[in-house]
Amino acid sequence: MSDSGQVVLCAASAYEEKYYLNELFAGLPSAVKKELQIMCVLYTADVGGVLTMQFDEEGNLLFHVTSEENDFLFDEIGSVLKIKQYQREKKELLESLELYYRVKILGEDIG
């Protein structure tokens, strides 16, 4: 958990060319883990910067994007469009991840 009460699911960096999956989510099906990796790595390859997918205190999955101050190759408009595309095309996956987080991590009873 971070200071802001948010929990990182995964992240990718165009600067370090690395991908990270939080070990809290090691129990996710391998197909889901692979899909997250593909999404994050493609995002940073297309747009640049650093993409972090994280849960807020209520269990909502958020996309957090940062870029280095002098990164003139970072595509701000492309970033917004890519995230909207993911939210539209991967809606079912993202909602399932939120449900997983609420049940497995937060311990909510959804019954």
Side-chain angles (χ1 to χ4, degrees):
M1 197 125 6
S2 68
D3 293 340
S4 64
Q6 300 195 341
V7 176
V8 171
L9 168 61
C10 57
S13 169
Y15 307 117
E16 297 178 24
E17 296 183 358
K18 289 188 177 176
Y19 170 76
Y20 165 79
L21 176 69
N22 187 334
E23 61 188 38
L24 272 177
F25 302 97
L28 286 170
S30 56
V32 171
K33 291 190 279 192
K34 188 74 172 166
E35 186 70 21
L36 287 169
Q37 182 176 7
I38 290 168
M39 285 172 58
C40 289
V41 171
L42 280 179
Y43 172 92
T44 57
D46 289 349
V47 176
V50 177
L51 172 66
T52 306
M53 295 175 68
Q54 56 197 33
F55 293 98
D56 67 12
E57 291 140 340
E58 288 83 43
N60 300 304
L61 185 55
L62 309 172
F63 290 82
H64 181 72
V65 178
T66 56
S67 64
E68 292 180 357
E69 191 174 330
N70 294 324
D71 182 358
F72 301 111
L73 298 176
F74 178 72
D75 183 358
E76 252 180 90
I77 294 169
S79 171
V80 172
L81 294 174
K82 191 73 152 172
I83 289 171
K84 285 184 180 183
Q85 175 190 347
Y86 283 165
Q87 289 171 329
R88 184 179 62 253
E89 292 177 1
K90 308 291 184 185
K91 186 177 194 303
E92 192 175 310
L93 171 67
L94 300 175
E95 288 174 351
S96 297
L97 286 165
E98 288 177 342
L99 183 61
Y100 177 92
Y101 181 78
R102 288 185 173 117
V103 172
K104 292 282 190 183
I105 309 298
L106 296 180
E108 287 184 14
D109 180 13
I110 58 165

